[in-house]
């Protein structure tokens, strides 16, 4: 059994880690920490977990936690994970960080966008960007994994086949993405109050969203050239889900939707968690609700010579905790879908 510790277990991504890991056949949850609920029984805080976990939340005592764990999940805000990740790595433990601290190849980019000095830059250089469908081989041999952000996951998977095959003019990439309110976390924030976000749809952080450099870093690798995108995120009044609509002009004007879909089918033919929809059917967030799937559909518009890609994920699962567990499975040589192979909830 893999002994797992979850640091920050009472946020939304932490609770999703508990939900999946409590039913994972190869995992024992050895400890869960929380600053807000020390010594409180986890199932009393989240009654939906009753009969699945019988632990109390611990104060963050790293020596105590690391002594009983093989791998640590850090479900903490950016800037907070570094102490935990550094301590765990120093003791030879594997760490999967669900925050932003270990996603960047160049810590200077992280510091510029997140306005914070990185405390473990050498460790950050060794960390692997944990998008399994793209970086599986590197993940297998890594110690520290920077789990991707939710928007980047849907966008990178949505564009990877086209960029890898040189199909699109990279200077034309426009991304319109919409996320449910849980993407803002469990902390109190006026923007996420019911009266503020219900019956409302708004764009935010246009041109300055912190996921932008993460998206550009990974798309540039796939395209083998520098990529800059126009990325506009939106908050939509639903709990879960991300739908990214991606626009790009093509090099080849002699193509059609089915030909482009075949590129996707071939690229993802061995990927259980990526599902390509047939021509004329576009994915909806309900298709992936509560699951680790990314569903992709597309349409070629010959009038404008553009491709329009629609990519959907559950922001808390494939966009966070589910993907983190997928990474854990790779690290420990397990089938990737272990503990994750559930269909989405419907309706």
């Amino acid at each position: 059994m893999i002994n797992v510790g979850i640091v920050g277990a009472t946020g939304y991504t932490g609770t999703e880690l508990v939900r999946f890991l409590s039913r994972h056949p190869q995992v024992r949850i050895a400890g869960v920490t929380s600053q807000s609920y020390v010594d409180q029984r986890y199932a009393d805080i989240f009654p939906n977990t009753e009969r699945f976990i019988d632990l109390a939340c611990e104060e963050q005592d790293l020596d105590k936690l690391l002594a009983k764990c093989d791998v640590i999940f850090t479900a903490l805000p950016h800037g907070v994970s570094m102490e935990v990740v550094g301590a765990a790595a120093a003791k030879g433990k594997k760490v999967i960080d669900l925050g932003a601290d270990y996603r960047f190849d160049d810590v200077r980019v992280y510091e510029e966008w997140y306005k914070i000095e990185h405390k473990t830059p050498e460790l950050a250089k060794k960390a692997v960007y944990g998008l399994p469908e793209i970086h599986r081989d590197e993940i297998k041999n890594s110690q520290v994994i920077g789990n991707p952000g939710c928007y980047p996951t849907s966008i990178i998977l949505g564009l990877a086949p086209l960029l890898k095959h040189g199909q699109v003019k990279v200077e034309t990439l426009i991304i319109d993405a919409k996320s449910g309110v849980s993407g803002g976390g469990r902390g109190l924030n006026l923007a996420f109050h019911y009266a503020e976000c219900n019956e409302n749809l708004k764009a935010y952080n246009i041109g300055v969203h912190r996921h932008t450099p993460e998206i550009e870093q990974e798309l540039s690798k796939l395209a083998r050239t520098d990529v800059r995108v126009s990325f506009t995120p939106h908050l939509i009044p639903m709990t879960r889900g991300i739908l990214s609509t991606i626009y790009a002009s093509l090099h080849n004007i002699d193509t059609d939707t089915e030909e482009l879909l075949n590129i996707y089918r071939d690229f993802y033919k061995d990927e259980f968690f990526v599902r390509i929809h047939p021509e004329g059917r576009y994915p909806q967030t309900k298709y992936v609700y509560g699951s680790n799937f990314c569903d992709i559909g597309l349409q070629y518009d010959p009038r404008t010579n553009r491709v329009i890609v629609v990519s959907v994920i559950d922001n808390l699962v494939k966009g966070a905790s589910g993907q983190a567990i997928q990474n854990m499975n790779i690290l420990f040589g397990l089938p990737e879908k272990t503990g994750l192979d559930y269909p989405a909830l419907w309706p």
Side-chain angles (χ1 to χ4, degrees):
M1 299 292 282
I2 303 166
N3 293 305
V4 167
I6 304 170
V7 179
T10 54
Y12 288 144
T13 57
T15 60
E16 282 293 84
L17 285 169
V18 170
R19 181 169 75 93
F20 282 103
L21 290 171
S22 65
R23 300 195 65 217
H24 193 295
Q26 300 296 323
V27 162
R28 182 180 75 90
I29 301 177
V32 293
T33 77
S34 171
Q35 289 185 324
S36 305
Y37 300 94
V38 176
D39 294 331
Q40 295 188 45
R41 188 169 169 270
Y42 195 86
D44 289 339
I45 306 164
F46 300 103
N48 63 306
T49 64
E50 186 70 62
R51 299 185 183 176
F52 291 94
I53 181 171
D54 191 20
L55 291 173
C57 292
E58 305 173 14
E59 194 172 12
Q60 188 173 300
D61 183 332
L62 291 181
D63 288 335
K64 180 181 175 183
L65 184 66
L66 293 172
K68 59 185 176 182
C69 294
D70 303 307
V71 60
I72 299 292
F73 291 90
T74 50
L76 299 168
H78 72 270
V80 183
S81 297
M82 296 178 209
E83 179 186 354
V84 180
V85 175
K91 289 185 178 292
K93 305 294 183 179
K94 296 184 184 296
V95 192
I96 301 168
D97 179 36
L98 279 74
D101 296 350
Y102 295 92
R103 296 174 184 166
F104 293 92
D105 297 337
D106 186 343
V107 295
R108 292 173 298 180
V109 175
Y110 168 84
E111 292 173 342
E112 177 185 350
W113 283 80
Y114 285 82
K115 309 303 180 188
I116 186 173
E117 182 181 357
H118 206 293
K119 298 174 184 176
T120 57
E122 293 305 314
L123 193 57
K125 290 178 183 177
K126 299 175 183 177
V128 172
Y129 189 74
L131 190 57
E133 290 78 10
I134 307 299
H135 294 297
R136 181 172 289 110
D137 290 340
E138 299 101 303
I139 292 167
K140 288 178 182 177
N141 301 310
S142 63
Q143 182 183 14
V144 176
I145 293 176
N147 210 62
C150 49
Y151 282 125
T153 295
S154 70
I155 292 161
I156 296 162
L157 292 177
L159 276 170
L162 293 176
L163 292 176
K164 195 73 174 177
H165 286 81
Q167 293 287 317
V168 300
K169 299 176 181 178
V170 296
E171 68 275 11
T172 68
L173 288 172
I174 298 173
I175 302 159
D176 175 305
K178 299 173 178 66
S179 175
V181 181
S182 62
R186 196 165 178 241
L188 295 178
N189 186 319
L190 179 62
F192 305 134
H193 286 194
Y194 181 82
E196 300 286 333
C197 63
N198 182 52
E199 298 179 13
N200 192 21
L201 175 60
K202 67 177 181 181
Y204 68 99
N205 290 346
I206 298 175
V208 295
H209 194 283
R210 287 168 169 167
H211 283 174
T212 303
E214 183 183 338
I215 294 164
E216 293 177 343
Q217 169 184 283
E218 295 302 308
L219 295 186
S220 295
K221 293 176 188 176
L222 288 160
R224 297 177 295 279
T225 189
D226 190 47
V227 173
R228 291 289 178 267
V229 300
S230 293
F231 170 48
T232 302
H234 301 75
L235 183 69
I236 196 163
M238 63 185 189
T239 303
R240 292 171 177 257
I242 282 178
L243 186 148
S244 296
T245 307
I246 307 165
Y247 305 85
S249 297
L250 298 176
H251 290 296
N252 180 17
I253 62 172
D254 185 22
T255 190
D256 57 33
T257 299
E258 190 63 24
E259 183 176 347
L260 295 174
L261 282 169
N262 283 333
I263 293 174
Y264 277 74
R265 292 180 185 121
D266 182 66
F267 191 88
Y268 289 122
K269 64 181 183 295
D270 298 320
E271 301 298 342
F272 180 78
F273 291 116
V274 180
R275 303 185 295 199
I276 308 304
H277 285 244
E279 183 172 358
R281 190 178 80 192
Y282 311 115
Q284 304 173 22
T285 56
K286 273 288 188 183
Y287 295 167
V288 298
Y289 192 94
S291 81
N292 197 51
F293 288 97
C294 174
D295 281 16
I296 299 171
L298 64 82
Q299 184 69 46
Y300 173 62
D301 180 1
R303 189 178 63 85
T304 60
N305 192 38
R306 291 195 189 103
V307 62
I308 301 94
V309 180
V310 179
S311 176
V312 300
I313 61 169
D314 185 313
N315 56 292
L316 294 178
V317 189
K318 185 59 175 170
S321 305
Q323 184 145 261
I325 296 167
Q326 189 179 352
N327 281 316
M328 181 203 72
N329 287 338
I330 296 171
L331 281 175
F332 287 90
L334 300 174
E336 279 180 46
K337 62 183 182 180
T338 306
L340 293 168
D341 53 346
Y342 303 104
L345 300 172
W346 187 272

